[in-house]
Amino acid sequence: MYLVALAWAYVALLMAAAEALSPQGTLLGAFVTLMLYGVLPLGLLLYILGTPGRRRRRRAAELAAEGDAGGHPPTGPAEGLAAEREEA
């Protein structure tokens, strides 16, 4: 995902440089090109694609806060299985 975003940013930067260095181009045109073809689309794309990770981190933080609220550490499935094991 980040490789495509990096390549897109590189192309947008080159487009802005070509606009700025062109005889008919201006620095304002280069800035607008960089914003409209580079920063805004990439920001939106990375925000949308980062949503599952943000949701996962928020859910993990909520679960950690619930485990701390009771004063007991959160238990995993391995601890429960080890306690139920009997000697033969």
Side-chain angles (χ1 to χ4, degrees), residues 2-3 9 13 20 25 33 35-36 46-47 54 57 61 66 69-70 74 78 81-82:
Y2 293 117
L3 182 62
L13 185 64
T33 299
M35 289 295 121
L36 294 180
L46 292 175
Y47 178 78
R54 284 192 308 275
R57 285 189 299 272
E66 287 176 9
L81 292 177

Side-chain angles (χ1 to χ4, degrees), residues 30-82:
F31 179 74
V32 170
T33 299
L34 185 63
M35 289 295 121
L36 294 180
Y37 285 109
V39 174
L40 293 177
L42 279 176
L44 182 64
L45 176 75
L46 292 175
Y47 178 78
I48 290 171
L49 292 178
T51 299
R54 284 192 308 275
R55 187 176 298 145
R56 200 175 313 116
R57 285 189 299 272
R58 182 177 40 212
R59 193 172 300 135
E62 288 173 357
L63 288 175
E66 287 176 9
D68 293 341
H72 303 290
T75 59
E79 291 179 25
L81 292 177

